[in-house]
Amino acid sequence: MQYIHPKAIKVWRIHGMISAAISFVLFLVLMLLGLFLFRWLLYLAAGFLVIGLVDFLIFVSVIPILRWRFFRYRINETHVVIRDGIWFVKHTVIPMARIQFVEAEQGPLLRAYRLAKLKISTATSTHHIPALSIGQAQKLRDRLAAFIQASDVDV
Amino acid sequence: MKRAHPLSIFAGFFKELKQLLLPIIIGALFGIRHDDGMSEWFALFGIGICLFFAVIEWWRTRYQVLEDQLYVKIGTIFMKERFIRFERIQSLHLSTNPFLKLFGLVRLEVHTAGGEDKAEFALPAVKRDEALRLQERIGGSNRSSQEDLLAVLDRSENSERVYRLRGGELVLAALTSSGARVIFLGLFTLLGQIGELWDRVSFITPLRREFHRVIGVPLLEAAAGVAAVLLIFWLLSSAIAFVKMYRFTLTVREKDWVIRRGFFEQTEQIVPFKRVQAVKIRENWLKQSFGYASVYLDVAGGQAGDGASEVLLYPLIRKERVAEFLAAIRSPFPWAVPTAAVSIRAFYWKIIKYVVPLAVLATILSLWVPYGAWSWLLVAASMALSWLGYRDASFAVDGDRVALGRREFSKETILTERKRLQFLSCRVSPVQKRLKLMTVQSGLIAGNNGYSFRICDLPLAEGRRLYEWYITAYTRSARRELQRVDGESSYSL
């Protein structure tokens, strides 16, 4: 079983920071509104403060490391295995012959770190490998495509 | 450019009217009683709109057969033009009803691969000769649809065995078809309307007076009201099921099944064996308590006819006769009883998951809400469901064949084989880990899409056995075997 790219931790941290920042901004806006307009908005502001703090404390510091630590995958000629989840552990087997298409996808953050996300779709479900280096993602995508063609038996 | 037969207007009109029928019935039942005489005008207005759109639709639906494609113009408000290449057409579906038969017309639907479940192009009424000619043009590049047509029009296929739903069976099938659905529908309607129900609904008021005279206890009165509404919903949905399953026949042929049914409109579905992804034996609580089951299919590819992704193969069969029945109709997947061990720990976990939260809710409700104590019935129901559900989560494997038992509201046994399962996931939550349980998830193709389903809370060891069974097939040697054996390509878009 293989780990995904370690830079994924950084990307997830930035994700956490962004959502924490949004919560803090909302907190400030709601607090100002609450002070000058409706007092009940202060409760909402407090809620966002809590969400922001939780984001900052957990989703920036701990969770990314654990997520990386607990995500593993294996790709061979006949199947893909993905192991995901920190507390809710999930093993998924996707036979090569059942894969309908493979996509390498990049958001702006992933692109900045030269990473890509691999999306593996069967007829009924989509499975993700969240962060691979671009080269590796493309290589895997091509390899998967080749395997899929080789094992294109039927459904 | 050609148009459909002008009687399309009426066919389309009745089709739209049929969609309005249910709201009208519900409206009549739950007494929209305006004294100002406006409601008749509203109804007339609605019918007028239906007619208007039917005329427009007929006028604006045009088609032309080009060299290797069909050129169509459709759309009532927004005009759409489409080129449908013949090779993309998966089936040309023809159907009739008594009204159309009178004029020698048929309804024609063009289904394509990759489209939605809806037909890509439909003519509500077209001359039979014209349909045949179209079929000939298109059928030249598409063998299977040719067979479809012959089955519809000739009715002289060399069928082997025909299973017919007889009178008594039909009634029983209709009465037991609704199960949990009707209860939910009824209860939700009640929840939504309970306040107004007592005053507004015309037929409840005399009933209520009667109840009050006979029983005189408000609580019992309410219970009787609930029971009455449930009864009405049950009868209504049974009637709908009756109409749908009227004249149900299943014909077993060499390579496919032909399923015919319908009261007003006879529909016909042809299911080739090789497109069948899974056979599902389903028992809702009504059927289960009488020892009956119904048989459903998951079929890959666009369906001619109903449009539903699930095909009803046979509505009523005695549970103990299922094995014999599946063998007789040459089902690609024989009956097997899921035999994997179940664990009482799964029951405990379900109680924690479902029953305890509901019990807390029920306590709150019975303390603060009038009649809130009735919510304990829900707790009891969830308890019963947990008890049944834990015993139904099971499986059995035999070579490549697999039988998966599970229950959401109805008990279901999915009979299929390894290569039809699109993927397999095993999920263990922290509590499940402690209780040595595992939830298995997998997916099957049905129609043009597919669905995933879960078998919740299998014992860990049994879940692992299923996982191992699934993954071991995909070692290198097994793959070569797979490639050699599976010459037939069953699902290609």
Side-chain angles (χ1 to χ4, degrees), chain A residues 78 89 91-93 98 150 155, chain B residues 419 424-426 428 474 483:
Chain A
T78 54
V89 183
H91 283 264
T92 303
V93 186
R98 301 289 90 83
V155 175
Chain B
K419 66 177 182 182
L424 195 88
S425 284
C426 294
V428 182
Y474 299 105
Q483 243 169 344

Side-chain angles (χ1 to χ4, degrees), chain B residues 4-24:
Chain B
H5 195 276
L7 277 172
S8 278
I9 298 169
F10 291 98
F13 172 62
F14 284 124
K15 205 175 166 217
E16 271 176 70
L17 211 61
K18 220 164 69 180
Q19 288 171 350
L20 276 181
L21 210 63
L22 197 67
I24 288 174

